[in-house]
Amino acid sequence: MAELQKDPMTRGDFLGFGVMGVIMGGIITVPAAAFLLEPIINIDILGQSNVSDDWQEVGPVADVGVEEPEVFIVEFPLTQIYGDQEIQELSPEVPRSQEEFDLTNAVWLSWKAPILEQGDQGNSGDTIGVPERPAFLDEKREGFTPEEISEVEESLNILSNSCAHLGCPVRWIVNADGEGEFLCPCHGGIYDINGNWYGGPPPRGMYRYTQFEVRENGRLYIKHAYDVEEGIPGISTQEPYVV
Amino acid sequence: MIGRLRSQTIETGKFLADWMEDRTGAVTQLEHFLYEPVPKRGAWLYTLGSATLFLITLQFLTGILLLFYYVPTTDHAWNSVYYIMNEAYFGQLIRGIHYWSANFLLAVIGLHMARTFFTGSYKAPREINWIVGVVLLLLVIGLAFTGYLLRWDQDGFWASVVGIKIGSYSPFIGPYVTHFLLGGDVVGPATLARFFALHVWLLPAMIAPFIGIHLYLLRRHGEFGAEFEYTDRISKLHERQREEGYRQHEFEDDEEYDYDDELDEEGGTTRHRRDDE
Ligand code: HEM
Ligand code: FES
C-alpha cells in the first residue's frame, strides 16, 4: 500500500483535524451552496413565489360560448432578479429596460359539461354531454347578482394551457365534423372540453386555477395557483412548475 | 545560399524542438499522439476520440467569440442573437459552427463511446477512463441542453420547458431539480441567467479538467489493442495456456488418488444417495 502518512496520528490529532475540517469546510461551502440553491430555499423551504399574489383580470365570462372554450391572456407581474419591481422602480426617470417582467399565462375558459359516464385515466376518457352555460348570460354581460355570480363560478372550467405532460401549450382544435378537443402539439396529449384527460401521455387532466372570483362587472379574476395532484404517490407531486 | 538558409532553419528548428523536449517532454508526447499505433482492423474508428476533441475545441473557440455580442437577459438575448446573425461580420458562420458542431459533437461522442464499447477498451486497466468518459458525455449533454435556451426563441424556450419538466418527474427530488433549474418557481429572467452561467462557465470549467484526465489516462495505458499491447497480450496468453496445460496434466494424475481416498472415507454418502432414489 502506498504510504502517504509518515507520522502516526494520535486520537487527539484526529479529532482536532475533524473538528477544524468541518468548520473550515462549512465556512467555504455554506455561502456558496446557499447562493446557488437560493430558489430551493425560497420556494421549497420558505414557501415563497416569484409571482405576484394580486388578483389579475381574465375577461368577461359572457364571451365564453357553449360549443367552444375561449382563451384569455393573463399577465402576472414577476419578481425575479433584475425583473424585480422594486429594482425597476429605484430610478424611474432612467428606464433600465424596455421589458415588462410579466409571466404570461394563457387561460382557457369553458362551461362545465355534465359527465355522463366516468372515464378511467389512461384507458378511456369521460363520456360528456353538452356544456351548460348559465342562461342569464344571454341577456346581460355585467351587473351580476350574488346568486348569478356563484352560478357562474360553479359552472366555469378555468384551465391552464400548460400541458400536464411536459408543459407544452395546448390548443383547442376542431375537426371536420365540428368536434373539438384540447390537443397538445408536443406528444399529442388530448383533453376534453372540461380539461379532463382524454388521450395521450399526460398523467392527469389540465391544471385548474384554484383561486378565482367573478365580480359584479361580469369579469373573472384569478391568482396564480393551481390544483396539485400526486404524481408517483408519495414520491413526487405534479405541479405546472414551468408556466 | 538557399541551401545554407535551409540547413540553418532546420538546425534552428531542431534546436528549439530539443530545447522544448528537454524541459517539457512535449515532443515525445506529441509523437505519441500523432503516431498512435492502432489495430489494423477498423483503424479509422480510432479517430472518433480525436474528432470529439476537435469539435469540443471548436465549441470553446466559437463560444468565446459569441460571448462578445451575446447578452444573457430576457429582453435582449433574442435581439443579440439576431444581431450576430445579421450584422456581425461572419456572425452566421461563427454561430453556425457553434450550432452544427454542437449537434455533431453529440453524434461523434456517441460513436466514440460505441467504438470503445465494441472493442472492449473499457476493460482493465482502463475502467477509470470509461467512467471519466461517461462524465464527459453527461457534461456535453448538459451543455447542449443549457445552450438551447440561450437563444430565447420559441424553439429553445419550449425545448427547455419540456426538459425541465422531465426533471420534475424525478423521484423525491423532482421539485428541487425543477426549482434549481428555473431559479424560481416559474420561467423568467432567473432561468436564463442560470442556464447562461451553467453553459458558459460551470460546465465548460468542469469539462476541461475531465478532458485532461481522459487524455492523461489514455497516455498512461496507450490505445487499447495497439500493436505492441496486442503482441504482448498474445504471448502472455500463450504462456498462460502452456502453464495451464502443464497444471492440467499434473492435476489429472492427482485426481486419481483423491478419488480413491474419497470413496474410502465417504462411502456412506454414496449409499445414502442410493436410498433417496
Ligand atoms: C461541448 C460544448 C458545447 C455545446 C454542446 C454547446 C451547445 C450550444 C447550443 C446547442 C447552443 C444553441 C445555439 C443555437 O441553437 O444556435 C449554444 C449557444 C451558445 N453557447 Fe454553447 N455549447 C458548448 C460550449 C460552449 C462554450 C465553451 C461557450 C463559451 C465559453 C459557449 C457559449 C455559447 C453562447 C454565448 C451561446 C448563445 C449564442 C447562440 O445561441 O448562438 N458554448 N451552445
Ligand atoms: S407535453 Fe403535452 S403531450 Fe407531452
Side-chain angles (χ1 to χ4, degrees):
Chain A
M1 210 184 79
E3 277 290 337
L4 289 177
Q5 180 67 41
K6 296 286 187 213
D7 307 321
M9 198 189 254
T10 68
R11 207 157 17 158
D13 283 348
F14 181 77
L15 268 177
F17 274 119
V19 172
M20 282 311 286
V22 169
I23 293 174
M24 295 306 287
I27 290 175
I28 293 168
T29 52
V30 169
F35 189 85
L36 207 61
L37 301 180
E38 182 204 74
I40 295 181
I41 297 169
N42 285 353
I43 290 153
D44 295 299
I45 298 174
L46 303 179
Q48 297 170 354
S49 171
N50 299 147
V51 186
S52 154
D53 193 33
D54 301 332
W55 289 105
Q56 302 298 327
E57 182 183 318
V58 179
V61 293
D63 283 0
V64 184
V66 183
E67 299 277 306
E68 291 190 10
E70 192 65 40
V71 69
F72 296 88
I73 304 297
V74 182
E75 297 196 332
F76 296 92
L78 184 64
T79 54
Q80 259 185 9
I81 50 178
Y82 52 85
D84 195 303
Q85 287 302 314
E86 282 173 32
I87 295 174
Q88 295 284 306
E89 284 157 12
L90 271 182
S91 41
E93 68 284 0
V94 190
R96 284 287 141 98
S97 156
Q98 316 288 307
E99 178 102 339
E100 293 189 5
F101 293 94
D102 285 332
L103 176 71
T104 311
N105 274 197
V107 180
W108 284 100
L109 298 186
S110 68
W111 302 108
K112 284 189 179 143
I115 298 176
L116 304 177
E117 199 181 311
Q118 187 78 38
D120 175 21
Q121 166 72 41
N123 284 321
S124 57
D126 301 341
T127 312
I128 54 170
V130 181
E132 289 164 353
R133 183 175 192 255
F136 71 89
L137 286 176
D138 292 338
E139 274 104 58
K140 60 178 178 186
R141 295 175 55 85
E142 50 187 30
F144 292 180
T145 65
E147 296 81 59
E148 288 169 342
I149 285 180
S150 56
E151 189 186 345
V152 169
E153 283 180 349
E154 272 160 28
S155 32
L156 261 186
N157 289 309
I158 306 163
L159 308 166
S160 160
N161 82 330
S162 173
C163 182
H165 181 223
L166 294 173
C168 290
V170 299
R171 271 195 280 171
W172 182 257
I173 306 282
V174 181
N175 70 11
D177 303 333
E179 293 163 346
E181 64 196 14
F182 285 109
L183 179 68
C184 178
C186 288
H187 320 97
I190 302 174
Y191 309 87
D192 63 22
I193 196 163
N194 286 332
N196 290 328
W197 179 88
Y198 198 80
R204 50 161 287 178
M206 290 161 75
Y207 299 108
R208 293 167 184 278
Y209 288 86
T210 46
Q211 293 198 41
F212 54 91
E213 60 182 38
V214 177
R215 295 187 188 162
E216 291 154 60
N217 61 6
R219 285 158 188 273
L220 176 72
Y221 293 79
I222 58 172
K223 286 187 179 184
H224 190 258
Y226 303 91
D227 64 325
V228 175
E229 259 179 42
E230 292 224 327
I232 310 162
I235 292 183
S236 69
T237 48
Q238 271 306 299
E239 287 181 49
Y241 297 105
V242 219
V243 290
Chain B
M1 180 65 190
I2 303 264
R4 211 175 68 206
L5 248 179
R6 211 172 73 187
S7 63
Q8 266 176 359
T9 320
I10 292 173
E11 284 288 299
T12 322
K14 274 212 181 104
F15 174 76
L16 281 178
D18 283 347
W19 191 89
M20 241 352 195
E21 172 64 14
D22 287 345
R23 268 139 266 249
T24 63
V27 179
T28 327
Q29 289 305 319
L30 204 63
E31 229 159 49
H32 275 310
F33 271 108
L34 292 179
Y35 300 96
E36 196 83 62
V38 297
K40 249 211 175 83
R41 207 168 62 139
W44 276 101
L45 296 179
Y46 287 74
T47 58
L48 285 167
S50 312
T52 316
L53 184 62
F54 172 75
L55 289 177
I56 206 144
T57 312
L58 216 52
Q59 287 305 94
F60 269 91
L61 297 179
T62 52
I64 289 167
L65 290 178
L66 287 172
L67 276 176
F68 279 78
Y69 294 108
Y70 177 76
V71 179
T73 65
T74 51
D75 46 346
H76 294 315
W78 189 87
N79 301 278
S80 65
V81 173
Y82 187 88
Y83 178 86
I84 293 173
M85 291 303 276
N86 293 288
E87 304 283 335
Y89 292 121
F90 294 107
Q92 288 198 16
L93 180 71
I94 306 291
R95 178 160 181 252
I97 292 176
H98 197 75
Y99 174 85
W100 284 107
S101 159
N103 282 280
F104 282 116
L105 181 56
L106 283 165
V108 169
I109 205 171
L111 291 173
H112 172 60
M113 200 171 179
R115 195 281 288 164
T116 45
F117 178 76
F118 285 117
T119 54
S121 313
Y122 53 84
K123 289 177 191 165
R126 295 183 176 78
E127 300 100 318
I128 302 288
N129 226 11
W130 172 268
I131 292 168
V132 171
V134 171
V135 172
L136 285 171
L137 176 75
L138 295 177
L139 288 171
V140 166
I141 291 173
L143 277 162
F145 176 59
T146 50
Y148 208 17
L149 183 72
L150 302 186
R151 318 149 70 161
W152 206 248
D153 63 357
Q154 291 289 325
D155 259 10
F157 184 90
W158 290 108
S160 305
V161 164
V162 166
I164 293 170
K165 264 207 98 169
I166 289 174
S168 83
Y169 284 83
S170 338
F172 304 109
I173 53 165
Y176 304 117
V177 171
T178 319
H179 294 148
F180 176 76
L181 288 173
L182 287 174
D185 58 351
V186 289
V187 187
T191 318
L192 183 57
R194 270 182 180 239
F195 273 54
F196 179 72
L198 290 171
H199 187 79
V200 309
W201 261 111
L202 187 67
L203 296 175
M206 280 171 77
I207 210 167
F210 277 102
I211 293 173
I213 299 172
H214 204 67
L215 294 180
Y216 167 74
L217 288 177
L218 166 71
R219 212 35 319 126
R220 190 175 167 88
H221 299 300
E223 190 75 78
F224 172 75
E227 215 180 326
F228 54 85
E229 189 187 29
Y230 216 58
T231 36
D232 201 39
R233 284 198 168 205
I234 285 182
S235 64
K236 275 215 182 101
L237 183 76
H238 285 321
E239 199 173 326
R240 217 177 313 131
Q241 277 170 345
R242 221 175 309 125
E243 270 174 18
E244 216 135 89
Y246 290 142
R247 220 177 302 131
Q248 194 93 17
H249 204 65
E250 288 164 22
F251 195 58
E252 270 163 17
D253 290 347
D254 285 356
E255 218 166 25
E256 274 172 14
Y257 292 114
D258 284 343
Y259 190 60
D260 288 346
D261 287 352
E262 223 166 48
L263 259 189
D264 286 345
E265 276 174 22
E266 309 213 334
T269 325
T270 325
R271 219 182 299 133
H272 192 77
R273 204 190 292 145
R274 221 179 279 136
D275 290 347
D276 274 358
E277 285 162 7

